[in-house]
Amino acid sequence: MKKGRLKRNILVIFWGIATFLVSLYFKISPKNLNNFTEIMSASLSFSAIVTAIFFASFSLIPSSGSNKLVSMMEDLGTDIKIMDRLLIATVLSFVSSLLSFIALFFDKEDTSSISIYLISGWLATTVMMFVSSFLVLRVLIKLVETYNNFKNIT
């Protein structure tokens, strides 16, 4: 699973680093975000829900070995790659929710350097989570399309 992980996630890493650097450049702090508390609260809720959904789907893939779709994934060797992508997306959504929770302890008028780094980290992990989630969905859609095409041929 570790083999090729960096190459598979280069797009996620690129967007995370770019977001972090841009938000540091513009010195985005809680004071710059309108409705800071509501944004962090919504981000915490959304990231927690995404974490739960990804954990559930991560546990379903290995347990449904009798399913033809899962058997096809195993034959193609994509089951491990999808599980790896799910794991990365799950970790990113968990980190995003953790950073959102920590950010709720900051005052909405705070402009300290630690709050700027925290908001930059939160933005970076949230963007990485969205990109990673999009890639997971894209792979799953392609897999289902391939399965439907294969099913229609036979």
Side-chain angles (χ1 to χ4, degrees), residues 17 31 37 43 45 47 49 51 57 59 70 73-75 77 79 85 95-97 113 123 126-127 140-141:
I17 291 172
K31 187 175 182 176
T37 307
S43 175
S45 298
S47 298
I49 290 169
T51 302
S57 52
S59 65
V70 176
M73 285 171 41
E74 290 173 353
D75 293 341
D79 58 332
R85 282 201 186 270
V95 170
S96 177
S97 63
S113 61
L123 282 171
T126 302
V127 167
L140 290 175
I141 289 170

PDB file of all heavy atoms in Angstrom, residues 17 31 37 43 45 47 49 51 57 59 70 73-75 77 79 85 95-97 113 123 126-127 140-141:
ATOM      1  N   ILE A  17      -0.008  22.217  -0.036  1.00  0.00           N
ATOM      2  CA  ILE A  17       1.130  23.128   0.122  1.00  0.00           C
ATOM      3  C   ILE A  17       0.806  24.498  -0.460  1.00  0.00           C
ATOM      4  O   ILE A  17       1.101  25.530   0.151  1.00  0.00           O
ATOM      5  CB  ILE A  17       2.402  22.527  -0.520  1.00  0.00           C
ATOM      6  CG1 ILE A  17       2.863  21.309   0.286  1.00  0.00           C
ATOM      7  CG2 ILE A  17       3.513  23.556  -0.613  1.00  0.00           C
ATOM      8  CD1 ILE A  17       3.982  20.519  -0.362  1.00  0.00           C
ATOM      9  N   LYS A  31      -9.649  36.874  12.431  1.00  0.00           N
ATOM     10  CA  LYS A  31     -10.239  38.199  12.214  1.00  0.00           C
ATOM     11  C   LYS A  31     -10.635  38.402  10.754  1.00  0.00           C
ATOM     12  O   LYS A  31     -11.588  39.115  10.454  1.00  0.00           O
ATOM     13  CB  LYS A  31      -9.261  39.286  12.658  1.00  0.00           C
ATOM     14  CG  LYS A  31      -9.846  40.670  12.629  1.00  0.00           C
ATOM     15  CD  LYS A  31      -8.895  41.689  13.182  1.00  0.00           C
ATOM     16  CE  LYS A  31      -9.556  43.062  13.186  1.00  0.00           C
ATOM     17  NZ  LYS A  31      -8.696  44.062  13.794  1.00  0.00           N
ATOM     18  N   THR A  37     -16.638  31.712  14.032  1.00  0.00           N
ATOM     19  CA  THR A  37     -17.123  30.638  14.892  1.00  0.00           C
ATOM     20  C   THR A  37     -18.053  29.705  14.138  1.00  0.00           C
ATOM     21  O   THR A  37     -17.950  28.482  14.270  1.00  0.00           O
ATOM     22  CB  THR A  37     -17.849  31.234  16.121  1.00  0.00           C
ATOM     23  OG1 THR A  37     -16.978  32.174  16.755  1.00  0.00           O
ATOM     24  CG2 THR A  37     -18.237  30.167  17.111  1.00  0.00           C
ATOM     25  N   SER A  43     -17.348  23.427   9.795  1.00  0.00           N
ATOM     26  CA  SER A  43     -16.236  22.602   9.323  1.00  0.00           C
ATOM     27  C   SER A  43     -16.025  21.390  10.226  1.00  0.00           C
ATOM     28  O   SER A  43     -15.775  20.279   9.738  1.00  0.00           O
ATOM     29  CB  SER A  43     -14.959  23.433   9.259  1.00  0.00           C
ATOM     30  OG  SER A  43     -13.855  22.628   8.922  1.00  0.00           O
ATOM     31  N   SER A  45     -18.319  19.885  12.059  1.00  0.00           N
ATOM     32  CA  SER A  45     -19.422  18.952  11.815  1.00  0.00           C
ATOM     33  C   SER A  45     -19.240  18.206  10.495  1.00  0.00           C
ATOM     34  O   SER A  45     -19.380  16.984  10.433  1.00  0.00           O
ATOM     35  CB  SER A  45     -20.753  19.703  11.791  1.00  0.00           C
ATOM     36  OG  SER A  45     -21.003  20.313  13.011  1.00  0.00           O
ATOM     37  N   SER A  47     -16.488  17.735   8.659  1.00  0.00           N
ATOM     38  CA  SER A  47     -15.318  16.845   8.677  1.00  0.00           C
ATOM     39  C   SER A  47     -15.570  15.605   9.518  1.00  0.00           C
ATOM     40  O   SER A  47     -15.123  14.506   9.164  1.00  0.00           O
ATOM     41  CB  SER A  47     -14.102  17.594   9.213  1.00  0.00           C
ATOM     42  OG  SER A  47     -13.773  18.666   8.384  1.00  0.00           O
ATOM     43  N   ILE A  49     -18.492  14.152   9.968  1.00  0.00           N
ATOM     44  CA  ILE A  49     -19.385  13.294   9.191  1.00  0.00           C
ATOM     45  C   ILE A  49     -18.617  12.575   8.081  1.00  0.00           C
ATOM     46  O   ILE A  49     -18.795  11.372   7.862  1.00  0.00           O
ATOM     47  CB  ILE A  49     -20.556  14.126   8.616  1.00  0.00           C
ATOM     48  CG1 ILE A  49     -21.486  14.545   9.745  1.00  0.00           C
ATOM     49  CG2 ILE A  49     -21.326  13.349   7.557  1.00  0.00           C
ATOM     50  CD1 ILE A  49     -22.520  15.580   9.341  1.00  0.00           C
ATOM     51  N   THR A  51     -15.445  11.869   8.055  1.00  0.00           N
ATOM     52  CA  THR A  51     -14.605  10.864   8.699  1.00  0.00           C
ATOM     53  C   THR A  51     -15.402   9.602   8.982  1.00  0.00           C
ATOM     54  O   THR A  51     -14.942   8.484   8.697  1.00  0.00           O
ATOM     55  CB  THR A  51     -14.008  11.416  10.021  1.00  0.00           C
ATOM     56  OG1 THR A  51     -13.263  12.595   9.737  1.00  0.00           O
ATOM     57  CG2 THR A  51     -13.112  10.393  10.679  1.00  0.00           C
ATOM     58  N   SER A  57     -16.997   3.122   4.943  1.00  0.00           N
ATOM     59  CA  SER A  57     -16.707   2.543   3.629  1.00  0.00           C
ATOM     60  C   SER A  57     -15.366   1.825   3.621  1.00  0.00           C
ATOM     61  O   SER A  57     -15.195   0.836   2.912  1.00  0.00           O
ATOM     62  CB  SER A  57     -16.762   3.608   2.541  1.00  0.00           C
ATOM     63  OG  SER A  57     -15.962   4.698   2.856  1.00  0.00           O
ATOM     64  N   SER A  59     -14.216   0.062   6.016  1.00  0.00           N
ATOM     65  CA  SER A  59     -14.422  -1.251   6.626  1.00  0.00           C
ATOM     66  C   SER A  59     -15.289  -2.153   5.757  1.00  0.00           C
ATOM     67  O   SER A  59     -15.251  -3.372   5.907  1.00  0.00           O
ATOM     68  CB  SER A  59     -15.043  -1.109   8.014  1.00  0.00           C
ATOM     69  OG  SER A  59     -16.344  -0.566   7.912  1.00  0.00           O
ATOM     70  N   VAL A  70     -16.364  -6.184  -5.759  1.00  0.00           N
ATOM     71  CA  VAL A  70     -15.156  -6.273  -4.925  1.00  0.00           C
ATOM     72  C   VAL A  70     -14.203  -7.316  -5.501  1.00  0.00           C
ATOM     73  O   VAL A  70     -12.986  -7.117  -5.513  1.00  0.00           O
ATOM     74  CB  VAL A  70     -15.525  -6.576  -3.459  1.00  0.00           C
ATOM     75  CG1 VAL A  70     -14.291  -6.775  -2.623  1.00  0.00           C
ATOM     76  CG2 VAL A  70     -16.382  -5.454  -2.887  1.00  0.00           C
ATOM     77  N   MET A  73     -12.468  -5.705  -8.288  1.00  0.00           N
ATOM     78  CA  MET A  73     -11.457  -4.781  -7.769  1.00  0.00           C
ATOM     79  C   MET A  73     -10.199  -5.540  -7.381  1.00  0.00           C
ATOM     80  O   MET A  73      -9.086  -5.097  -7.661  1.00  0.00           O
ATOM     81  CB  MET A  73     -11.999  -4.025  -6.545  1.00  0.00           C
ATOM     82  CG  MET A  73     -12.976  -2.944  -6.872  1.00  0.00           C
ATOM     83  SD  MET A  73     -13.816  -2.211  -5.455  1.00  0.00           S
ATOM     84  CE  MET A  73     -12.565  -2.051  -4.226  1.00  0.00           C
ATOM     85  N   GLU A  74     -10.382  -6.689  -6.727  1.00  0.00           N
ATOM     86  CA  GLU A  74      -9.225  -7.492  -6.322  1.00  0.00           C
ATOM     87  C   GLU A  74      -8.471  -8.005  -7.535  1.00  0.00           C
ATOM     88  O   GLU A  74      -7.239  -8.019  -7.554  1.00  0.00           O
ATOM     89  CB  GLU A  74      -9.687  -8.648  -5.440  1.00  0.00           C
ATOM     90  CG  GLU A  74     -10.164  -8.215  -4.079  1.00  0.00           C
ATOM     91  CD  GLU A  74     -10.786  -9.350  -3.275  1.00  0.00           C
ATOM     92  OE1 GLU A  74     -10.966 -10.462  -3.823  1.00  0.00           O
ATOM     93  OE2 GLU A  74     -11.096  -9.116  -2.096  1.00  0.00           O
ATOM     94  N   ASP A  75      -9.200  -8.444  -8.574  1.00  0.00           N
ATOM     95  CA  ASP A  75      -8.565  -8.937  -9.798  1.00  0.00           C
ATOM     96  C   ASP A  75      -7.770  -7.843 -10.500  1.00  0.00           C
ATOM     97  O   ASP A  75      -6.700  -8.096 -11.046  1.00  0.00           O
ATOM     98  CB  ASP A  75      -9.609  -9.517 -10.757  1.00  0.00           C
ATOM     99  CG  ASP A  75     -10.254 -10.784 -10.207  1.00  0.00           C
ATOM    100  OD1 ASP A  75      -9.667 -11.412  -9.295  1.00  0.00           O
ATOM    101  OD2 ASP A  75     -11.353 -11.140 -10.684  1.00  0.00           O
ATOM    102  N   GLY A  77      -6.506  -5.278  -8.967  1.00  0.00           N
ATOM    103  CA  GLY A  77      -5.511  -4.745  -8.033  1.00  0.00           C
ATOM    104  C   GLY A  77      -5.822  -3.346  -7.560  1.00  0.00           C
ATOM    105  O   GLY A  77      -4.942  -2.641  -7.066  1.00  0.00           O
ATOM    106  N   ASP A  79      -8.277  -2.662  -5.300  1.00  0.00           N
ATOM    107  CA  ASP A  79      -8.873  -2.640  -3.959  1.00  0.00           C
ATOM    108  C   ASP A  79      -7.928  -1.997  -2.945  1.00  0.00           C
ATOM    109  O   ASP A  79      -8.345  -1.196  -2.113  1.00  0.00           O
ATOM    110  CB  ASP A  79      -9.291  -4.038  -3.512  1.00  0.00           C
ATOM    111  CG  ASP A  79      -8.131  -5.022  -3.497  1.00  0.00           C
ATOM    112  OD1 ASP A  79      -7.180  -4.846  -4.285  1.00  0.00           O
ATOM    113  OD2 ASP A  79      -8.194  -5.972  -2.704  1.00  0.00           O
ATOM    114  N   ARG A  85      -6.446   5.346  -0.738  1.00  0.00           N
ATOM    115  CA  ARG A  85      -7.026   6.678  -0.940  1.00  0.00           C
ATOM    116  C   ARG A  85      -8.064   6.991   0.134  1.00  0.00           C
ATOM    117  O   ARG A  85      -8.132   8.115   0.634  1.00  0.00           O
ATOM    118  CB  ARG A  85      -7.665   6.783  -2.314  1.00  0.00           C
ATOM    119  CG  ARG A  85      -6.686   6.997  -3.425  1.00  0.00           C
ATOM    120  CD  ARG A  85      -7.396   7.602  -4.619  1.00  0.00           C
ATOM    121  NE  ARG A  85      -6.518   7.701  -5.748  1.00  0.00           N
ATOM    122  CZ  ARG A  85      -5.760   8.758  -6.011  1.00  0.00           C
ATOM    123  NH1 ARG A  85      -5.770   9.781  -5.193  1.00  0.00           N
ATOM    124  NH2 ARG A  85      -4.994   8.795  -7.066  1.00  0.00           N
ATOM    125  N   VAL A  95      -7.974  15.201  10.678  1.00  0.00           N
ATOM    126  CA  VAL A  95      -7.081  16.315  11.027  1.00  0.00           C
ATOM    127  C   VAL A  95      -7.800  17.652  10.830  1.00  0.00           C
ATOM    128  O   VAL A  95      -7.663  18.564  11.653  1.00  0.00           O
ATOM    129  CB  VAL A  95      -5.769  16.253  10.204  1.00  0.00           C
ATOM    130  CG1 VAL A  95      -4.943  17.507  10.372  1.00  0.00           C
ATOM    131  CG2 VAL A  95      -4.957  15.027  10.609  1.00  0.00           C
ATOM    132  N   SER A  96      -8.589  17.758   9.767  1.00  0.00           N
ATOM    133  CA  SER A  96      -9.353  18.983   9.537  1.00  0.00           C
ATOM    134  C   SER A  96     -10.347  19.230  10.668  1.00  0.00           C
ATOM    135  O   SER A  96     -10.475  20.362  11.148  1.00  0.00           O
ATOM    136  CB  SER A  96     -10.092  18.891   8.197  1.00  0.00           C
ATOM    137  OG  SER A  96     -10.882  20.030   7.985  1.00  0.00           O
ATOM    138  N   SER A  97     -11.025  18.189  11.117  1.00  0.00           N
ATOM    139  CA  SER A  97     -11.969  18.378  12.225  1.00  0.00           C
ATOM    140  C   SER A  97     -11.233  18.702  13.520  1.00  0.00           C
ATOM    141  O   SER A  97     -11.705  19.517  14.321  1.00  0.00           O
ATOM    142  CB  SER A  97     -12.874  17.159  12.395  1.00  0.00           C
ATOM    143  OG  SER A  97     -12.138  16.022  12.735  1.00  0.00           O
ATOM    144  N   SER A 113       0.404  35.169  15.404  1.00  0.00           N
ATOM    145  CA  SER A 113       1.053  34.303  14.411  1.00  0.00           C
ATOM    146  C   SER A 113       0.621  32.843  14.579  1.00  0.00           C
ATOM    147  O   SER A 113       0.503  32.121  13.584  1.00  0.00           O
ATOM    148  CB  SER A 113       2.571  34.433  14.486  1.00  0.00           C
ATOM    149  OG  SER A 113       3.043  34.053  15.756  1.00  0.00           O
ATOM    150  N   LEU A 123      -6.954  25.416   6.614  1.00  0.00           N
ATOM    151  CA  LEU A 123      -7.317  25.588   5.206  1.00  0.00           C
ATOM    152  C   LEU A 123      -6.640  24.549   4.318  1.00  0.00           C
ATOM    153  O   LEU A 123      -7.272  23.966   3.434  1.00  0.00           O
ATOM    154  CB  LEU A 123      -6.949  26.999   4.736  1.00  0.00           C
ATOM    155  CG  LEU A 123      -7.885  28.123   5.143  1.00  0.00           C
ATOM    156  CD1 LEU A 123      -7.273  29.480   4.804  1.00  0.00           C
ATOM    157  CD2 LEU A 123      -9.225  27.972   4.458  1.00  0.00           C
ATOM    158  N   THR A 126      -8.170  21.088   4.902  1.00  0.00           N
ATOM    159  CA  THR A 126      -9.530  21.038   4.376  1.00  0.00           C
ATOM    160  C   THR A 126      -9.523  20.946   2.847  1.00  0.00           C
ATOM    161  O   THR A 126     -10.263  20.153   2.267  1.00  0.00           O
ATOM    162  CB  THR A 126     -10.337  22.272   4.845  1.00  0.00           C
ATOM    163  OG1 THR A 126     -10.334  22.291   6.281  1.00  0.00           O
ATOM    164  CG2 THR A 126     -11.757  22.228   4.351  1.00  0.00           C
ATOM    165  N   VAL A 127      -8.665  21.726   2.209  1.00  0.00           N
ATOM    166  CA  VAL A 127      -8.539  21.637   0.749  1.00  0.00           C
ATOM    167  C   VAL A 127      -8.026  20.259   0.349  1.00  0.00           C
ATOM    168  O   VAL A 127      -8.536  19.640  -0.599  1.00  0.00           O
ATOM    169  CB  VAL A 127      -7.618  22.763   0.209  1.00  0.00           C
ATOM    170  CG1 VAL A 127      -7.216  22.508  -1.228  1.00  0.00           C
ATOM    171  CG2 VAL A 127      -8.314  24.107   0.342  1.00  0.00           C
ATOM    172  N   LEU A 140     -14.062   5.575  -7.663  1.00  0.00           N
ATOM    173  CA  LEU A 140     -15.219   4.710  -7.454  1.00  0.00           C
ATOM    174  C   LEU A 140     -16.209   4.799  -8.619  1.00  0.00           C
ATOM    175  O   LEU A 140     -16.782   3.783  -9.029  1.00  0.00           O
ATOM    176  CB  LEU A 140     -15.913   5.051  -6.137  1.00  0.00           C
ATOM    177  CG  LEU A 140     -15.145   4.671  -4.876  1.00  0.00           C
ATOM    178  CD1 LEU A 140     -15.870   5.172  -3.637  1.00  0.00           C
ATOM    179  CD2 LEU A 140     -14.933   3.171  -4.792  1.00  0.00           C
ATOM    180  N   ILE A 141     -16.403   5.992  -9.161  1.00  0.00           N
ATOM    181  CA  ILE A 141     -17.291   6.144 -10.319  1.00  0.00           C
ATOM    182  C   ILE A 141     -16.733   5.393 -11.516  1.00  0.00           C
ATOM    183  O   ILE A 141     -17.465   4.690 -12.226  1.00  0.00           O
ATOM    184  CB  ILE A 141     -17.518   7.639 -10.639  1.00  0.00           C
ATOM    185  CG1 ILE A 141     -18.403   8.262  -9.561  1.00  0.00           C
ATOM    186  CG2 ILE A 141     -18.132   7.824 -12.011  1.00  0.00           C
ATOM    187  CD1 ILE A 141     -18.491   9.776  -9.627  1.00  0.00           C
TER     188      ILE A 141
END
